[in-house]
């Protein structure tokens, strides 16, 4: 679980070198009967100054419709809050301190203060939600921002350009995968969000060149490490979703419009990735 936090949040990237001059990118495409379907590996948190490669910009321009993990432009803030609280909060009378024990909760409190949140605000959170909160705050502290991530950037542009956005799953389905993890795995996830925070910057740096150059082997190695150590955690979050999405992506090949499909990068590399599953169905997938 050394890099579980990075993997679960897909990949994050800072604003250092630009990817525009690299030979490959985390972008693939396949031809339908009369159209093209692009598959873009997403990074959910970016620095606002990060520039996207020209080939990615062109894929967006070529596409009439966008498909994301969830339908970003139709998210209702009130419903989003209701679902998040429903799945992320502990039942009345329970606390995170009770679940973790005082020694571990003390470590959580210290980490929360370091990233700028009152530990008491986390005390009613389920472990998975507390972990994700700490990770996101740590990323913000590093200068990264979800509003500058791939999905949010293209959502903003698609709305302005009047391009439709469709979702492969709902927000409830997505969050339920984390909320449905066994209590032991949720606590494990939280513990590593505490212990691994100091190494997060280094781990992200190790992934930057792989994402920027579309190094599928390096990215797949990260995924393989997670599967080997925590198969019960990775399988529902990656492989099972890839298989559910496969039919939806294939159906796009029968459409007339060109599509840009944006999913977490780790869904596009390694064994049982969307790329491998599509190739297994006889489709020719080209990396750009």
């Amino acid at each position: 679980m050394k890099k579980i936090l990075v993997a679960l949040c897909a990949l994050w990237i800072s604003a250092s070198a630009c990817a525009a001059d690299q030979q490959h990118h985390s972008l693939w495409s396949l031809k339908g009967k009369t159209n093209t379907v692009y598959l873009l590996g997403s990074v959910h948190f970016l620095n606002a100054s990060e520039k996207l490669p020209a080939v990615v910009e062109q894929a967006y321009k070529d596409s009439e419709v966008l498909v994301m993990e969830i339908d970003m432009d139709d998210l209702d803030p009130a419903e989003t809050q209701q679902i998040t609280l429903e799945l992320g909060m502990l039942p009345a009378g329970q606390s995170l301190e009770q679940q973790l024990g005082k020694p571990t909760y003390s470590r959580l409190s210290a980490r929360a203060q370091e990233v700028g949140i009152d530990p008491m605000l986390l005390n009613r959170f389920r472990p998975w939600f507390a972990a994700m909160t700490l990770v996101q705050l740590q990323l913000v502290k590093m200068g990264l921002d979800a509003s500058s991530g791939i999905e949010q950037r293209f959502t903003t542009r698609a709305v302005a350009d009047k391009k439709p956005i469709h979702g492969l799953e709902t927000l409830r389905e997505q969050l339920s995968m984390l909320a449905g993890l066994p209590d032991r795995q949720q606590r494990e996830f939280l513990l590593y969000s505490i212990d691994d925070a100091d190494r997060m910057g280094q781990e992200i740096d190790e992934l930057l060149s792989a994402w920027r150059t579309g190094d599928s082997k390096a990215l797949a190695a990260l995924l393989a490490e997670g599967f080997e150590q925590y198969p019960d955690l990775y399988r529902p979050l990656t492989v099972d979703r890839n298989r559910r999405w496969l039919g939806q992506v294939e159906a796009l090949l029968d459409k007339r419009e060109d599509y840009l499909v944006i999913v977490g990068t780790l869904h596009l590399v390694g064994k049982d990735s969307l790329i491998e599953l599509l190739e297994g169905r006889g489709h020719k997938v080209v990396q750009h």
Side-chain angles (χ1 to χ4, degrees), residues 3 7-8 207 216-230 234-235 237-239 242 265-273:
K3 299 175 181 175
L8 286 179
L207 294 168
S216 298
K217 290 184 178 180
L219 294 168
L222 167 65
L223 190 61
E225 178 184 346
F227 266 121
E228 181 179 344
Q229 297 181 27
Y230 298 91
Y234 270 79
R235 188 175 296 109
L237 296 176
T238 54
V239 172
N242 294 342
T265 304
L266 295 183
H267 290 287
L268 300 178
V269 299
K271 182 175 173 55
D272 292 318
S273 67

Side-chain angles (χ1 to χ4, degrees), residues 82-192:
Q82 187 271 326
I83 292 172
T84 303
L85 293 177
E86 175 188 333
L87 297 176
M89 303 296 287
L90 288 165
Q94 295 186 26
S95 70
L96 196 55
E97 184 175 9
Q98 292 171 340
Q99 292 205 357
L100 299 178
K102 289 187 177 181
T104 301
Y105 186 75
S106 295
R107 291 162 54 201
L108 169 66
S109 297
R111 175 59 63 189
Q113 290 173 345
E114 288 177 10
V115 297
I117 186 172
D118 185 344
M120 289 304 298
L121 295 177
L122 302 177
N123 203 26
R124 288 292 315 286
F125 288 6
R126 293 183 185 273
W128 76 267
F129 191 36
M132 293 300 292
T133 300
L134 287 180
V135 170
Q136 292 181 15
L137 289 172
Q138 180 69 24
L139 290 169
V140 170
K141 188 177 179 180
M142 293 167 58
L144 307 180
D145 184 9
S147 65
S148 298
I150 295 290
E151 289 90 348
Q152 192 57 57
R153 288 191 188 197
F154 283 124
T155 295
T156 301
R157 290 173 62 177
V159 170
D161 295 337
K162 301 188 185 307
K163 292 187 178 185
I165 299 176
H166 302 310
L168 293 167
E169 59 195 14
T170 66
L171 177 65
R172 179 177 291 277
E173 289 171 336
Q174 191 172 81
L175 294 184
S176 292
M177 285 179 284
L178 290 170
L181 291 172
D183 290 342
R184 176 184 59 81
Q185 290 181 345
Q186 288 195 37
R187 289 193 294 269
E188 209 167 45
F189 181 22
L190 178 55
L191 288 175
Y192 278 93

